Amino acid sequence: MFTNKVTIITGASSGIGLACALEFAGKGSKLVLVGRNPERLEAAGEKCRELSAEMLLIEADVAIEENCKMIIDRAIER
């Protein structure tokens, strides 16, 4: 159902965001994982890679308006 779909997940480095990332990774979605902490974001990416997910990791804070535009722009570029 999600094969070759792109899913943007904010707060992907822990908690509900990480759980969503793992769920979508397991369903074949291409992921854009967004988080503020680069180490935790990379760890989340590793967990998703174990499920063979294709992804883009973006360190950003969605409370900053410019970051929201940057996330979308980078996802489209990829």
Side-chain angles (χ1 to χ4, degrees):
M1 179 184 328
F2 292 101
T3 302
N4 293 320
K5 302 289 183 181
V6 177
T7 307
I8 298 174
I9 301 172
T10 61
S13 59
S14 66
I16 294 170
L18 177 56
C20 290
L22 293 170
E23 185 69 21
F24 280 103
K27 295 188 182 300
S29 184
K30 296 178 182 181
L31 302 175
V32 178
L33 303 182
V34 181
R36 294 179 297 168
N37 182 298
E39 293 83 20
R40 288 174 40 186
L41 185 60
E42 184 59 43
E46 285 301 316
K47 290 179 182 179
C48 291
R49 281 187 194 98
E50 291 173 5
L51 299 170
S52 299
E54 182 181 336
M55 78 192 72
L56 171 63
L57 303 179
I58 301 176
E59 181 185 345
D61 183 346
V62 296
I64 300 170
E65 187 173 339
E66 296 82 25
N67 284 354
C68 296
K69 181 178 180 340
M70 178 267 298
I71 292 164
I72 300 300
D73 290 344
R74 288 192 53 200
I76 291 170
E77 287 172 12
R78 177 76 176 262

